[in-house]
Amino acid sequence: MTAASVIVHEVDPRHAAEYRAWAERATTVHQRFPGHLATDTVRPVGDGSVFVTLLRFETSEQAAAWLESDERKTLL
């Protein structure tokens, strides 16, 4: 069974480019974690401000390892 984490960020549209750059760096880091299956991001349409990211891992333990990792804490 796989495990997923849904992350929702509301971003001031004036900072959307900065957020996208940060999200790309974060994706590069969590893709290296054991059990990572996929990262899907839904970006706002038009002047929207909500980004939704779905992280999928092979197991809930692997997802928890990412969520509790020092690498994630550094990114935040």
Side-chain angles (χ1 to χ4, degrees):
M1 184 178 338
T2 62
S5 179
V6 178
I7 302 162
V8 179
H9 287 127
E10 185 165 0
V11 178
D12 183 321
R14 295 173 296 176
H15 300 287
E18 293 168 48
Y19 175 81
R20 284 192 299 274
W22 172 84
E24 287 181 28
R25 287 192 311 274
T27 297
T28 299
V29 174
H30 59 71
Q31 285 178 334
R32 294 190 302 245
F33 260 70
H36 178 267
L37 296 173
T39 301
D40 299 303
T41 301
V42 178
R43 296 183 175 174
V45 177
D47 292 335
S49 61
V50 177
F51 289 77
V52 179
T53 302
L54 175 65
L55 301 176
R56 288 183 288 156
F57 288 85
E58 291 177 13
T59 68
S60 58
E61 293 82 11
Q62 290 167 325
W66 161 250
L67 292 171
E68 298 168 3
S69 71
D70 290 336
E71 291 89 337
R72 180 176 174 271
K73 290 174 188 170
T74 298
L75 284 165
L76 296 177

